[in-house]
């Protein structure tokens, strides 16, 4: 009911403001027929009762598939016939899986880094040694952010340089 009241207030205000104004199109010889139709519609709007105006709003909403609510920018928006509705802008998904890449580490901390890499990955000694010696190397792949940050802290505490991708 509030939408109808708001719309009627807008229509009444528009009818009151538009009555004495005449556009440049109205002065042209070509638009003479069109302006008479607009004038007729405006005259009918001015003479309508509240109930008739509410029925008009409902009919316009159904016919043109529009929403006449006042919250939609202050006026009615009509789609062109045959036009498809505009899709919302793509929303960027928040990343949930991260990769932790070991970039480098101090040579004197190799054994400590090797132990942490084994702990994080579950690799055997030989595989972990190969991974550490072939930096940059992904230590964790597709892991939650919290896990990657925790692992990064352990490696950084040893002086290693890591990146979260």
């Amino acid at each position: 009911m509030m939408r109808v009241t708001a719309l009627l207030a807008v229509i009444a205000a528009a009818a009151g403001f538009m009555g004495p104004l005449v556009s440049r199109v109205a002065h042209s010889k070509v638009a003479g027929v069109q302006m008479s139709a607009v004038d007729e519609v405006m005259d009918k709007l001015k003479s309508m009762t509240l109930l008739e105006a509410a029925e008009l709003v409902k009919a316009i909403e159904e016919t043109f598939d529009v929403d006449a609510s006042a919250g939609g920018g202050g006026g009615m928006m009509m789609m062109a016939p045959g036009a498809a509705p505009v899709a919302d802008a793509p929303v960027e998904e928040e990343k949930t899986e991260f990769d932790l890449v070991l970039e480098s580490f101090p040579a004197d901390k190799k054994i400590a880094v090797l132990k942490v890499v084994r702990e994080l990955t579950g690799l055997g000694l030989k595989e972990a040694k190969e991974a550490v010696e072939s930096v940059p190397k992904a230590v964790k792949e597709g892991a939650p952010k919290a896990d990657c940050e925790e692992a990064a802290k352990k490696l950084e505490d040893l002086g290693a340089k890591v990146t979260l991708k």
Side-chain angles (χ1 to χ4, degrees):
M1 186 64 185
M2 289 294 291
R3 291 188 323 191
V4 173
T5 306
L7 181 63
L8 292 176
V10 169
I11 291 172
F17 288 122
M18 293 176 70
L21 296 177
V22 180
S23 69
R24 281 186 246 149
V25 177
H27 289 301
S28 72
K29 294 177 183 177
V30 178
V33 176
Q34 290 177 347
M35 275 312 292
S36 64
V38 171
D39 290 337
E40 286 177 29
V41 171
M42 290 306 297
D43 288 338
K44 288 187 187 247
L45 279 174
K46 290 177 188 177
S47 64
M48 281 185 176
T49 64
L50 187 59
L51 182 61
E52 291 170 334
E55 289 173 0
L56 174 65
V57 169
K58 188 174 181 181
I60 289 173
E61 286 178 335
E62 290 172 2
T63 304
F64 296 107
D65 192 30
V66 294
D67 183 15
S69 63
M76 287 196 311
M77 300 286 293
M78 289 192 222
M79 287 179 30
V86 177
D88 290 338
V91 177
E92 272 191 45
E93 273 188 39
E94 186 175 327
K95 193 171 180 181
T96 57
E97 294 182 350
F98 295 85
D99 296 341
L100 180 66
V101 179
L102 176 62
E103 299 289 340
S104 65
F105 58 90
D108 63 331
K109 300 287 185 174
K110 182 177 180 179
I111 294 174
V113 169
L114 182 66
K115 287 181 180 179
V116 172
V117 168
R118 284 190 67 201
E119 174 190 333
L120 296 174
T121 60
L123 293 174
L125 181 61
K126 182 180 176 188
E127 294 85 7
K129 182 179 181 230
E130 289 172 358
V132 168
E133 289 175 346
S134 63
V135 291
K137 181 75 175 174
V139 177
K140 279 190 162 287
E141 293 179 333
K145 187 174 184 177
D147 290 351
C148 287
E149 287 175 342
E150 182 181 325
K153 182 170 178 6
K154 288 180 182 180
L155 290 167
E156 288 170 345
D157 287 346
L158 298 173
K161 291 185 181 170
V162 295
T163 56
L164 195 62
K165 294 183 179 180

